[in-house]
Amino acid sequence: MDSINFRIKFLIDSLYNGNISLFCRSVGIKQPTLNTIVGERQSKPSFDILYAIASNVASLNVDWLITGEGEAFSDKKGDNLQKDEKEFSIIESQQR
């Protein structure tokens, strides 16, 4: 299974043609932070980073982002928002 770092890099490559700066502006993440996630360091993203990505990438399958299971994008637009918010609440409480 691919790492979450790989999945974030996949989003950058497939949606922004590898333009990290544009991706960062689009989702509201500082570029140096993202560079530590997708660069050589391969740091694990925080809840805030995952939430920013999930909130700003249209049709993103949050299950795929977090676990790697399923497809990267959902055909349903906005149907899973409530489910996604519940999953992120659980993740956030586990990080505390």
Side-chain angles (χ1 to χ4, degrees):
M1 183 185 317
D2 297 324
S3 70
I4 194 163
N5 309 71
F6 178 85
R7 292 189 295 276
I8 293 170
K9 181 74 169 113
F10 171 82
L11 293 175
I12 296 166
D13 291 342
S14 62
L15 298 175
Y16 297 88
N17 291 327
N19 188 330
I20 292 175
S21 179
L22 181 58
F23 179 80
C24 289
R25 286 193 305 269
S26 296
V27 300
I29 298 172
K30 293 181 180 179
Q31 189 168 345
T33 301
L34 192 64
N35 285 338
T36 66
I37 295 168
V38 298
E40 286 185 29
R41 286 190 65 201
Q42 295 288 301
S43 300
K44 296 300 176 201
S46 68
F47 166 79
D48 293 334
I49 298 300
L50 294 174
Y51 189 79
I53 293 169
S55 299
N56 292 292
V57 176
S59 301
L60 178 64
N61 178 352
V62 176
D63 288 337
W64 172 83
L65 177 63
I66 295 170
T67 67
E69 296 177 12
E71 299 296 320
F73 300 100
S74 171
D75 293 336
K76 304 169 192 164
K77 300 197 187 244
D79 288 352
N80 293 327
L81 183 57
Q82 214 171 27
K83 179 184 171 202
D84 294 347
E85 287 179 353
K86 183 177 179 182
E87 288 175 0
F88 273 112
S89 294
I90 293 168
I91 293 168
E92 182 178 31
S93 67
Q94 290 175 347
Q95 284 191 344
R96 289 185 188 162

